[in-house]
Amino acid sequence: MNGAGAVSAASLAGRRAALGMWVFLATELMFFGPLFFGYGYGRLAFPDAFAAASRHTEVLLGGINTAVLLVSSALMACAVDALEAGKARASRRLLLATATLGAAFLAIKGIEYAHDIERGLLPGGASPLDSGGRIFFLLYYAMTGVHAVHLLIGVGVALAFGFGGGRVAALSEPGHLRVAGLYWHFVDAIWIFLYPILYLVGRSG
Amino acid sequence: MPTSYLEEGYTLTSWLTTRDHKRIALLYLVAITAFFFIGGAAATIIRIELSTPAPDVVTPDTYNRLFTAHGVIMVWLFLIPSIPATLGNFLMPMMIGARDLAFPRLNLASWYIYVAGGAMILVALLLGGVDTGWTFYTPYSTLFSNSHVVLSLAGVFIVGFSSILTGLNFIVTVHTLRAPGMTWFRLPLFVWANYATALILVLATPVLAMTLTLVAIERIFHVGIFDPAMGGDPLLFQHFFWFYSHPAVYIMILPAMGVASEIIPCFARKRVFGYRFMAYAILGIAVVGFLVWGHHMFVSGQSVYASLVFSLLSFIVAIPSAIKVFNWTATLYKGSITLSAPMLYALGFVGLFTLGGLTGLYLASLALDVNLTDTYFVVAHFHYIMVGGSVMAYLGGIHFWWPKISGRMYPEVWGRAAAVLIFFGFNLTFFPQYLLGLHGMPRRYASYPDEFTLLNVLSSAGASILAVGYLLPLGYLGWSIFRGERAAPNPWHATGLEWQTASPPVKDNFELTPTVDRGPYDYAPATEEPQ
Amino acid sequence: MNFYRRNLGIGALLLLLLALTTASAYVPMGAWNGIANLAIAAAKAGLVAFFFMHLREAAAIVRLAAGVALLMLAIFLTLSSVDYLTRHSTAAPWQNPAVHGR
């Protein structure tokens, strides 16, 4: 890097950590890749079945969840900016709010899953769905499931920074929180795509 | 005298909790060597079986498990980590003038993850192994195989994360830790090669992870996108799998090319010909290597138009490789050549890689591939590149940097003898396999028609020579650790920052961060000679 | 306090786009529904990336990393599609007609 002498060691470390997180997010994007392609395959092979299956998803809960995640992203951004501006206490409160919203998302998702299973919307077994519908729901559970696991980790990280900030050195560093924020926003960005492709197909049919 | 990194603590704990990239490199070296010989043992039994036409040494089912074990271990537990995790880990920081990688603790974590995944694969092996081939094709792996598929998949999944983290570490290191004056075009080609490899590791491996997960889900829950009866498509698996596995072969060859680019200038006492083109070629191979995976699927049912596109791209990817071969050759021209052990390995690498690469073009031609696919021609092709190429370069690199790593010289006579024996044994093993493939002998078969006997016997004979050749370095390198002549900091009079450190180096590599003011390969004309 | 306004403003914009994508899904536009939804999703993701993830003021290498990741995903999806879009699949007589797709 073209480091001029006056740049602090902490900020260089911060830049390394940020680049490291972006590279990691690149791997996460590729990790979702096959699921997106599988979805594309299914949509191409079974356009009507996909539309019908998508209509079975609960768009109200899905929409609320999307809103929850979008707001949480805004709050996380505020938390990071607050810590960088020296407002540690405000930052921690914002982090706990972010974590709460993340947990709310997971709770609502859980309720949705319960409804889905109740209605027999399963990719296998004694499901009333046809082949295309089963593939849709396999991808639905796979994509939202993998997303949920990532979100759970994010909630954990947000709680760690929210409670540990000011007490544990590593959890009080603005550079570290910024990197954690990147992860949270990525998880949000993935959901931004999952929502329309899973919930909004064939709604006008 | 300042303490070397080897003397910073003698306990097992000091090794298992180290953050020193050099020690971590040695941890990898030990593990990788062990896996190499386990994979080699599987190959030995395979070649014994194939010395006679009848399936009389093992049952066909066991044979399937053997070639699967050989493939899984050699690809994921040996070749993919080999140069990057040993030589790369050891040398990258030193070559750019840094103290360590960007994330030392992540580096150690990578090793533990690798060992965990490797252990899981070994457990699967001990429980009876898996019989799907290292390629795990559906629907056999999802619906019909009665072997430990899920356990093996889990092991590979875990090992994949180890390589992703190593790649991440390398990328951030090269971008952020270069010493003052070390611009991109002053980097040694070994660094370029490992950087490009890291890009592939990071972008391709996650796709494999998800693919293996989907196979496991399909196998366990009987739902999925690969089963035609359920509306799925087995080719979906092949697209996903090869999207990773083709770039994976570039993960295996690029670092080898980097090693060759370090050894050849040193023992020709001449700077690399066309340095910039070499660097661009490395990037070109990495990029275009992502675009050719469909050439593994020409007869699978893929559309002809897609096959055409992939065939064309596969021809194109040969171009940067060819540029590199020309440039290595041009580097030798009017050089002052010493046929040391590393140089023998490097020259062997160039020749065998060229042969293997050219046969890749045969396979990239659609019409030819219809006849050659799934025959021993393919087996010979990839062994020429992966063994004749990567393994020879790996051994060359181990020998070249051995004085730096261990502080000892290996016995040069034994080094040269082993290199020649390996070269000879390798060609005897694998050249007949080209002919077998042309004559139509299929791969992954435990038995064959009588008319293929002679070529198979020659191949197995070659394998026995190759085995001896591989055991020799294990012996004399091990010996040299205790009895070898102590090495000077720069016994080969090579350029490169790593040779500016002690042999072996101190923990932080450099006393003071170096400043770089010249390009790499600043070799003087033929007045100065290496020892 | 400036950053509250900025972040919450972007958040409000995101919620607006959410409303837009959901509402437009109920308007019969045929193939354009899907395209519109993806375009709006891309816009939302872009806002998150450029503002919340600070991609706007990030170093060149970080932007390159993000760009390469997207490019790689695009290559994966596109080149695989070359196969699927150019196949001529016909059902065998014994195959479930609902299964064979196009």
Side-chain angles (χ1 to χ4, degrees):
Chain A
M1 293 226 22
N2 38 14
V7 186
S8 75
S11 113
L12 279 177
R15 274 193 256 168
R16 272 203 294 283
L19 179 60
M21 177 53 81
W22 274 101
V23 173
F24 179 68
L25 294 180
T27 75
E28 292 278 56
L29 186 66
M30 296 309 290
F31 187 60
F32 274 90
L35 293 175
F36 284 127
F37 189 79
Y39 175 89
Y41 158 79
R43 184 97 173 244
L44 196 63
F46 309 103
D48 300 322
F50 258 48
S54 175
R55 284 194 286 271
H56 284 303
T57 62
E58 294 183 77
V59 68
L60 181 63
L61 291 183
I64 290 174
N65 254 353
T66 311
V68 162
L69 219 51
L70 292 172
V71 171
S72 79
S73 232
L75 293 180
M76 173 59 96
C78 290
V80 172
D81 288 340
L83 189 60
E84 285 181 353
K87 304 183 183 314
R89 197 135 61 103
S91 170
R92 286 197 298 276
R93 291 210 187 114
L94 287 161
L95 282 167
L96 294 177
T98 304
T100 309
L101 287 176
F105 179 102
L106 291 170
I108 294 173
K109 194 85 209 82
I111 293 171
E112 264 189 272
Y113 281 154
H115 289 176
D116 295 328
I117 294 171
E118 218 171 47
R119 290 184 289 153
L121 293 169
L122 296 166
S127 160
L129 298 161
D130 62 1
S131 311
R134 289 183 185 211
I135 290 184
F136 177 90
F137 271 95
L138 169 66
L139 290 165
Y140 164 84
Y141 288 115
M143 289 164 117
T144 58
V146 173
H147 175 267
V149 168
H150 283 83
L151 184 59
L152 185 63
I153 295 171
V155 169
V157 169
L159 286 175
F161 276 91
F163 285 118
R167 288 173 214 173
V168 178
L171 299 172
S172 318
E173 283 273 345
H176 291 177
L177 183 59
R178 180 174 266 232
V179 163
L182 288 176
Y183 179 82
W184 187 273
H185 296 306
F186 175 79
V187 174
D188 182 29
I190 290 286
W191 184 262
I192 283 173
F193 281 95
L194 293 190
Y195 171 67
I197 68 177
L198 293 174
Y199 290 87
L200 297 183
V201 187
R203 288 287 168 189
S204 60
Chain B
M1 231 178 77
T3 22
S4 80
Y5 78 101
L6 289 169
E7 293 162 329
E8 298 266 355
Y10 291 104
T11 62
L12 191 60
T13 313
S14 74
W15 281 89
L16 294 177
T17 56
T18 183
R19 290 180 203 183
D20 184 349
H21 65 102
K22 302 182 288 298
R23 287 194 164 207
I24 294 172
L26 291 186
L27 290 175
Y28 268 108
L29 182 63
V30 169
I32 282 166
T33 307
F35 284 122
F36 176 74
F37 283 103
I38 297 175
T44 304
I45 303 175
I46 289 172
R47 280 316 324 165
I48 292 174
E49 170 62 75
L50 290 175
S51 358
T52 59
D56 44 11
V57 174
V58 293
T59 62
D61 180 60
T62 305
Y63 187 82
N64 295 346
R65 289 160 199 260
L66 281 170
F67 67 67
T68 305
H70 175 71
V72 168
I73 292 174
M74 288 308 207
V75 168
W76 281 304
L77 297 179
F78 174 67
L79 276 168
I80 291 204
S82 63
I83 296 175
T86 56
L87 295 171
N89 260 333
F90 196 95
L91 296 165
M92 293 278 277
M94 293 186 354
M95 285 181 166
I96 64 173
R99 279 198 199 135
D100 207 309
L101 291 178
F103 306 117
R105 280 172 299 188
L106 200 64
N107 201 11
L108 183 66
S110 283
W111 182 76
Y112 276 106
I113 294 171
Y114 165 79
V115 169
M120 203 172 263
I121 291 172
L122 282 184
V123 167
L125 201 65
L126 290 168
L127 289 175
V130 62
D131 62 353
T132 58
W134 79 278
T135 46
F136 293 108
Y137 270 21
T138 60
Y140 184 69
S141 58
T142 46
L143 296 177
F144 302 109
S145 172
N146 278 323
S147 59
H148 298 281
V149 176
V150 175
L151 190 58
S152 305
L153 291 176
V156 176
F157 182 97
I158 292 172
V159 171
F161 271 96
S162 165
S163 27
I164 288 173
L165 294 176
T166 299
L168 190 158
N169 227 334
F170 280 6
I171 291 172
V172 179
T173 300
V174 176
H175 278 287
T176 62
L177 290 182
R178 298 191 310 276
M182 179 62 89
T183 59
W184 279 89
F185 286 107
R186 286 180 180 166
L187 287 169
L189 289 169
F190 182 80
V191 176
W192 276 101
N194 279 278
Y195 175 78
T197 303
L199 290 175
I200 305 176
L201 283 168
V202 150
L203 293 169
T205 318
V207 173
L208 177 75
M210 180 54 78
T211 306
L212 300 183
T213 308
L214 289 171
V215 172
I217 288 175
E218 186 148 330
R219 188 173 166 82
I220 297 171
F221 298 110
H222 307 295
V223 299
I225 50 173
F226 302 134
D227 183 359
M230 295 194 284
D233 180 11
L235 247 61
L236 216 50
F237 171 81
Q238 293 188 30
H239 277 296
F240 294 169
F241 179 82
W242 288 113
F243 178 84
Y244 160 78
S245 296
H246 189 84
V249 315
Y250 295 108
I251 293 173
M252 297 188 250
I253 198 64
L254 279 170
M257 294 174 159
V259 170
S261 291
E262 298 302 316
I263 294 177
I264 291 176
C266 177
F267 291 101
R269 308 311 300 169
K270 232 185 115 205
R271 57 165 44 104
V272 165
F273 181 86
Y275 167 86
R276 280 206 182 217
F277 267 90
M278 290 293 253
Y280 293 138
I282 285 172
L283 290 178
I285 291 170
V287 170
V288 184
F290 268 105
L291 307 177
V292 301
W293 76 84
H295 67 221
H296 298 271
M297 298 164 61
F298 284 157
V299 301
S300 63
Q302 178 176 254
S303 90
V304 163
Y305 303 104
S307 295
L308 275 171
V309 169
F310 282 118
S311 173
L312 176 64
L313 288 164
S314 303
F315 273 84
I316 290 174
V317 81
I319 297 174
S321 295
I323 289 174
K324 294 189 78 67
V325 170
F326 285 136
N327 285 12
W328 284 314
T329 313
T331 305
L332 292 170
Y333 178 63
K334 287 201 177 167
S336 172
I337 297 174
T338 306
L339 293 176
S340 62
M343 188 58 151
L344 288 173
Y345 281 113
L347 292 176
F349 160 83
V350 176
L352 297 174
F353 168 72
T354 303
L355 278 176
L358 288 174
T359 54
L361 291 171
Y362 288 45
L363 293 166
S365 317
L366 286 176
L368 281 175
D369 190 68
V370 172
N371 284 300
L372 296 174
T373 197
D374 273 344
T375 66
Y376 262 84
F377 194 90
V378 179
V379 176
H381 159 72
F382 64 70
H383 281 95
Y384 259 78
I385 304 200
M386 293 203 279
V387 181
S390 294
V391 177
M392 290 206 64
Y394 171 70
L395 289 173
I398 294 284
H399 284 75
F400 183 56
W401 282 292
W402 189 253
K404 185 56 58 188
I405 293 171
S406 67
R408 305 278 183 156
M409 300 300 286
Y410 61 85
E412 182 65 28
V413 172
W414 282 97
R416 294 179 188 187
V420 170
L421 200 64
I422 287 173
F423 183 83
F424 178 69
F426 170 84
N427 279 297
L428 186 58
T429 309
F430 290 105
F431 197 85
Q433 294 184 8
Y434 279 128
L435 302 172
L436 282 167
L438 279 170
H439 290 312
M441 178 174 171
R443 63 186 288 198
R444 295 179 169 174
Y445 276 42
S447 62
Y448 51 81
D450 289 330
E451 62 254 36
F452 294 146
T453 308
L454 174 61
L455 289 169
N456 270 294
V457 168
L458 285 173
S459 180
S460 295
S464 61
I465 298 173
L466 196 55
V468 172
Y470 285 140
L471 287 167
L472 284 178
L474 197 62
Y476 64 73
L477 289 177
W479 173 90
S480 76
I481 292 175
F482 304 103
R483 299 295 181 84
E485 180 195 329
R486 291 209 183 255
N490 193 356
W492 313 121
H493 299 286
T495 63
L497 288 177
E498 76 273 22
W499 298 105
Q500 309 303 318
T501 64
S503 290
V506 298
K507 184 163 83 87
D508 285 338
N509 302 331
F510 301 95
E511 314 278 328
L512 295 164
T513 306
T515 309
V516 179
D517 58 2
R518 64 189 62 191
Y521 314 116
D522 197 22
Y523 285 99
T527 47
E528 211 183 309
E529 281 163 31
Q531 286 173 352
Chain C
M1 305 321 139
N2 224 346
F3 59 78
Y4 280 115
R5 224 161 8 130
R6 198 184 75 146
N7 291 327
L8 296 176
I10 299 287
L13 189 50
L14 287 168
L15 289 172
L16 199 64
L17 289 171
L18 169 63
L20 181 62
T21 198
T22 311
S24 72
Y26 288 91
V27 176
M29 296 192 289
W32 288 98
N33 280 113
I35 295 172
N37 282 336
L38 281 176
I40 295 173
K44 286 158 82 181
L47 286 171
V48 170
F50 278 101
F51 291 103
F52 292 161
M53 296 172 89
H54 299 285
L55 211 48
R56 210 169 44 142
E57 57 254 27
I61 179 57
V62 165
R63 291 201 271 195
L64 194 59
V68 167
L70 282 171
L71 180 65
M72 201 47 58
L73 184 65
I75 287 174
F76 176 46
L77 299 180
T78 311
L79 209 44
S80 297
S81 303
V82 171
D83 177 18
Y84 285 91
L85 293 173
T86 56
R87 282 194 200 170
H88 304 290
S89 65
T90 41
W94 59 84
Q95 255 185 300
N96 182 348
V99 159
H100 94 269
R102 306 167 91 220

